[in-house]
């Protein structure tokens, strides 16, 4: 029964905004409540304490203490200012919950890995994200025949979203970029690892086609880039005389499918403007202009503001969940004309100027010492991982995620950390 519960946890990973979970914010992973049961029932099954466990625990403790002090300041010194219909306390507590969600996922995934073993663990995760991919294809087909509202209605029964995506598929994730993240951090790396190790998974080719097709129809810029880098890493891993047939087969399939994939991608106005905008901006040797022309100017403004906060408050940051308030106080002057930035600055719209970048979020909201600890967690997890090959395939997409996704409640980062460093004990006697 406990194995089945762990399997359900992994299969539920693709549902990132479950309708019936009363968590604040847009991230409402179905896996969270299942993860709690996995931990409660499996405390005795936790692996030995490792270096990664110590570092992750220290980071979580630091974040909790920092949030507690912010609450102390608000309650005792004052400053409960409402913005976007939210008080400072609500922002701080919401972010505190996201940190707890992160840690619960991390511990439950470690338990599940021990209980299931690496191959069943990977297979169940593939099936979970694959289910989301099937929903994505359904959404894309319905949208192509003018029934996108039907696809959105069906999906919202399981996973809600504030936006009805008409031209980009999101599967069971909150938004398309989150689905692309799951495909490139979880599904494709796990499939490639099983292929390299010679482990059987029924219909491997079908799963791979499903993942790549689903990734394409998300029209995620970061996802496509991550896919390219992962494939390069894969070739570097298998490149030897015995594997040249596989390498040639991959190149042939890629060459055949390239016209089809590029035609679909460039038919999408969002992706087409990104492609042309980057080319034009970089042609002018101006990074900000490249972001502006590729519909990513607001993201660049959010990064710039988060970097300014890091410079102003380098030790402790502004507190988790509060950077968007710092942006509203002093936005980059050049960005105020952008429509999306105006929404961020207005008290009448829910849109917020979050850092849009995990590295800058940690540095601006928790400070540089916390950022150093955060990076060390990832490095030690990779260095000590028994499953280094999986980590190598996951790492490009994790890094690209950091450039666009800044939520601790999503599953990809704790999954990476849980796989890494599992057998590296602190004790020299082990």
């Amino acid at each position: 029964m406990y194995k089945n519960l762990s399997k359900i946890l992994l299969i539920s990973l693709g549902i990132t905004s479950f309708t019936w979970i009363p968590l604040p914010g847009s991230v409402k992973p179905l896996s969270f409540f299942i993860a709690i049961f996995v931990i409660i029932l499996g405390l005795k099954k936790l692996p030995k304490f490792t270096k990664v466990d110590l570092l992750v625990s220290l980071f979580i403790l630091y974040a909790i203490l920092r949030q507690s002090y912010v609450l102390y300041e608000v309650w005792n010194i004052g400053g409960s200012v409402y913005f976007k219909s939210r008080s400072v306390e609500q922002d701080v507590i919401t972010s505190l919950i996201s940190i707890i969600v992160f840690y619960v996922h991390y511990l439950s995934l470690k338990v599940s890995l021990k209980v299931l073993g690496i191959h069943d663990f990977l297979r169940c995760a593939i099936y979970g994200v694959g289910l989301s991919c099937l929903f994505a294809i359904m959404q894309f087909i319905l949208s192509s025949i003018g029934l996108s509202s039907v696809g959105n209605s069906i999906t919202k029964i399981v996973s809600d979203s504030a936006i009805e995506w008409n031209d980009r598929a999101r599967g069971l994730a909150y938004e398309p970029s989150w689905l692309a993240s799951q495909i490139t951090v979880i599904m494709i790396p796990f499939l490639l690892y099983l292929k390299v190790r010679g482990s059987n998974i029924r219909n491997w080719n079908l799963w791979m086609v499903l993942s790549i097709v689903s990734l394409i129809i998300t029209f995620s810029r970061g996802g496509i880039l991550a896919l390219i880098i992962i494939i390069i890493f894969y070739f570097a891993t298998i490149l030897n005389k015995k594997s040249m047939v596989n390498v040639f087969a991959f190149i042939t399939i890629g060459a055949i499918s390239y016209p089809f994939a590029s035609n679909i991608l460039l038919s999408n106005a969002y992706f087409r403007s990104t492609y042309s905008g980057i080319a034009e901006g970089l042609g002018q040797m101006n990074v900000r202009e490249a972001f502006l022309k590729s519909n990513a100017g607001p993201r660049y403004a959010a990064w710039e503001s988060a970097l300014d906060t890091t410079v102003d408050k380098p030790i402790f940051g502004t507190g988790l969940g509060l950077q968007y308030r710092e942006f509203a106080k002093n936005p980059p002057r050049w960005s105020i004309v952008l429509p999306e930035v105006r929404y961020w600055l207005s008290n009448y719209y829910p849109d917020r100027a979050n850092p849009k970048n995990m590295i800058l979020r940690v540095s601006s909201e928790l400070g540089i010492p916390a950022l150093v600890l955060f990076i060390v967690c990832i490095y030690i997890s990779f260095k000590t991982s028994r499953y280094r090959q999986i980590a190598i395939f996951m790492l490009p997409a994790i890094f690209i995620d950091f450039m666009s996704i800044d939520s601790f409640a999503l599953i990809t980062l704790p999954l990476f950390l849980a796989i890494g460093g599992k057998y590296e004990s602190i004790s020299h006697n082990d």
Side-chain angles (χ1 to χ4, degrees):
M1 177 180 177
Y2 192 78
K3 281 190 174 183
N4 290 334
L5 186 60
S6 294
K7 290 179 180 179
I8 293 172
L9 168 67
L10 292 162
I11 291 173
S12 69
L13 297 184
I15 303 175
T16 62
S17 187
F18 192 56
T19 311
W20 302 333
I21 290 184
L23 289 174
S26 55
V27 187
K28 300 179 182 180
L30 173 60
S31 53
F32 175 58
F33 281 166
I34 303 171
I36 293 175
F37 286 110
V38 169
I39 293 174
I40 293 174
L41 298 176
L43 284 176
K44 295 181 179 179
K45 300 180 184 295
L46 275 171
K48 293 180 180 179
F49 204 67
T50 69
K51 290 180 181 177
V52 178
D53 292 334
L54 174 62
L55 292 167
V56 171
S57 299
L58 286 174
F59 178 79
I60 298 298
L61 179 62
Y62 182 94
I64 291 173
L65 291 174
R66 179 69 183 106
Q67 293 303 89
S68 300
Y69 184 74
V70 174
L71 285 175
Y72 167 80
E73 288 185 311
V74 172
W75 292 337
N76 293 278
I77 302 174
S80 180
V81 179
Y82 276 81
F83 181 56
K84 303 284 186 182
S85 302
R86 295 171 64 89
S87 66
V88 175
E89 293 99 322
Q90 287 174 307
D91 286 331
V92 172
I93 292 172
T94 297
S95 295
L96 190 58
I97 291 173
S98 72
I99 284 289
I100 294 170
V101 171
F102 172 92
Y103 198 52
V104 166
H105 273 136
Y106 172 74
L107 293 177
S108 64
L109 289 166
K110 282 177 66 68
V111 172
S112 299
L113 180 55
K114 181 180 179 182
V115 169
L116 295 175
I118 187 64
H119 296 296
D120 283 346
F121 182 93
L122 299 182
R123 288 189 185 99
C124 290
I126 289 169
Y127 297 153
V129 180
L131 178 64
S132 187
C133 289
L134 290 174
F135 269 81
I137 290 175
M138 175 203 71
Q139 292 160 2
F140 184 75
I141 292 173
L142 290 175
S143 178
S144 299
I145 59 177
L147 296 175
S148 58
S149 59
V150 176
N152 285 316
S153 299
I154 294 172
T155 308
K156 279 188 175 182
I157 297 173
V158 181
S159 182
D160 200 9
S161 179
I163 302 173
E164 289 199 357
W165 301 93
N166 296 320
D167 53 355
R168 299 178 65 196
R170 69 177 179 94
L172 296 176
Y174 178 76
E175 61 174 66
S177 60
W178 292 8
L179 174 59
S181 168
Q182 292 183 329
I183 293 171
T184 54
V185 175
I186 302 174
M187 193 168 181
I188 292 177
F190 288 4
L191 283 167
L192 291 178
Y193 175 79
L194 291 174
K195 184 75 170 180
V196 169
R197 301 292 293 182
S199 303
N200 291 325
I201 179 171
R202 187 175 297 177
N203 299 320
W204 185 94
N205 292 320
L206 184 60
W207 286 112
M208 182 57 77
V209 169
L210 174 65
S211 62
I212 293 176
V213 169
S214 302
L215 177 61
I216 290 172
I217 60 178
T218 65
F219 297 99
S220 168
R221 301 167 290 192
I224 299 300
L225 178 60
L227 174 63
I228 294 169
I229 299 174
I230 291 168
I231 291 174
I232 292 171
F233 279 24
Y234 174 73
F235 282 160
T237 300
I238 69 169
L239 199 57
N240 55 57
K241 291 182 179 180
K242 293 182 180 179
S243 63
M244 287 306 294
V245 174
N246 288 332
V247 173
F248 181 75
F250 260 83
I251 293 174
T252 303
I253 293 171
I256 294 172
S257 60
Y258 172 77
F260 167 76
S262 61
N263 185 55
I264 291 180
L265 289 171
L266 294 177
S267 68
N268 181 268
Y270 168 79
F271 197 91
R272 187 171 60 251
S273 64
T274 297
Y275 179 82
S276 59
I278 291 174
E280 185 176 347
L282 292 181
Q284 300 175 19
M285 301 297 290
N286 188 322
V287 175
R288 182 198 291 176
E289 195 68 17
F291 274 80
L292 282 168
K293 291 184 180 299
S294 60
N295 299 321
R299 184 177 301 277
Y300 190 90
W303 291 2
E304 186 176 312
S305 176
L307 187 58
D308 290 341
T309 301
T310 302
V311 173
D312 291 339
K313 303 176 181 179
I315 306 301
F316 298 112
T318 188
L320 277 177
L322 301 180
Q323 168 55 28
Y324 82 99
R325 291 172 180 265
E326 297 294 323
F327 184 98
K329 291 178 187 175
N330 188 26
R333 295 182 63 181
W334 61 266
S335 69
I336 296 175
V337 298
L338 302 176
E340 188 173 349
V341 171
R342 289 181 179 178
Y343 293 145
W344 291 350
L345 298 176
S346 172
N347 211 3
Y348 299 102
Y349 295 92
D351 310 64
R352 294 185 289 174
N354 297 324
K356 318 293 182 186
N357 183 305
M358 184 61 83
I359 300 295
L360 290 176
R361 180 181 186 188
V362 175
S363 68
S364 65
E365 297 187 348
L366 289 177
I368 293 175
L371 176 61
V372 172
L373 181 57
F374 180 77
I375 293 173
V376 170
C377 284
I378 296 169
Y379 172 74
I380 296 298
S381 174
F382 177 77
K383 182 181 177 182
T384 63
S385 177
R386 181 179 179 180
Y387 309 111
R388 181 76 64 85
Q389 219 160 24
I390 302 177
I392 288 173
F393 292 148
M394 295 174 74
L395 203 56
I398 285 286
F399 177 77
I400 289 172
D401 272 3
F402 285 173
M403 298 298 105
S404 59
I405 297 175
D406 61 7
S407 174
F408 284 100
L410 293 174
I411 193 66
T412 46
L413 180 57
L415 179 61
F416 177 85
L417 293 172
I419 288 177
K422 176 176 179 287
Y423 292 94
E424 183 72 11
S425 175
I426 295 173
S427 171
H428 295 294
N429 298 322
D430 291 334

